[in-house]
Amino acid sequence: MISDDLFYISILLVAIVFFFLGAWFYRLVLWYPRGGRAVTGTKSMIGKIGRVVRDNGTNMVVRVDGQNWNAKYVGEHRPEVGDRVSIKDVNGLNLLVEEIKDGN
């Protein structure tokens, strides 16, 4: 028969293997289909759509998900008040936005 020490060590090794298989399964099935995007924090803002609510020439304010954020534009054309913008990146507490060209 197998000694008690060898039995407990084999149980521990099997548990460790199943733990890592479970973590891999979680990433494969639950995380990757969502695109692996951040769901909290400022990095979750990237890719969202906002609207310019104020622009005094030096400071631009964009409303995203009901909150106002300071923003800087990163395109060839500065968006005007009321224009829809796409968030390209986050620098500190400033959003870097680009105007969305409407196909009208």
Side-chain angles (χ1 to χ4, degrees):
M1 289 307 265
I2 300 175
S3 69
D4 287 342
D5 291 339
L6 186 58
F7 176 74
Y8 290 123
I9 290 173
S10 62
I11 293 292
L12 178 66
L13 290 175
V14 168
I16 291 171
V17 167
F18 275 107
F19 172 78
F20 284 108
L21 283 175
W24 174 78
F25 182 76
Y26 168 77
R27 289 186 63 193
L28 180 69
V29 173
L30 298 176
W31 186 252
Y32 287 129
R34 295 187 306 172
R37 289 188 54 193
V39 292
T40 60
T42 56
K43 293 295 181 185
S44 68
M45 302 289 287
I46 296 172
K48 289 190 176 184
I49 305 298
R51 189 169 300 274
V52 178
V53 294
R54 189 174 38 221
D55 184 6
N56 66 5
T58 56
N59 296 324
M60 182 184 301
V61 177
V62 173
R63 181 179 298 261
V64 180
D65 293 339
Q67 296 181 347
N68 291 340
W69 291 82
N70 291 327
K72 297 179 181 180
Y73 69 97
V74 292
E76 56 199 47
H77 183 262
R78 185 180 182 97
E80 297 176 4
V81 174
D83 287 347
R84 292 179 37 196
V85 292
S86 173
I87 298 158
K88 298 298 178 188
D89 201 3
V90 179
N91 184 9
L93 293 177
N94 290 317
L95 303 178
L96 303 177
V97 298
E98 184 176 61
E99 182 182 21
I100 295 176
K101 307 279 193 258
D102 290 330
N104 294 343

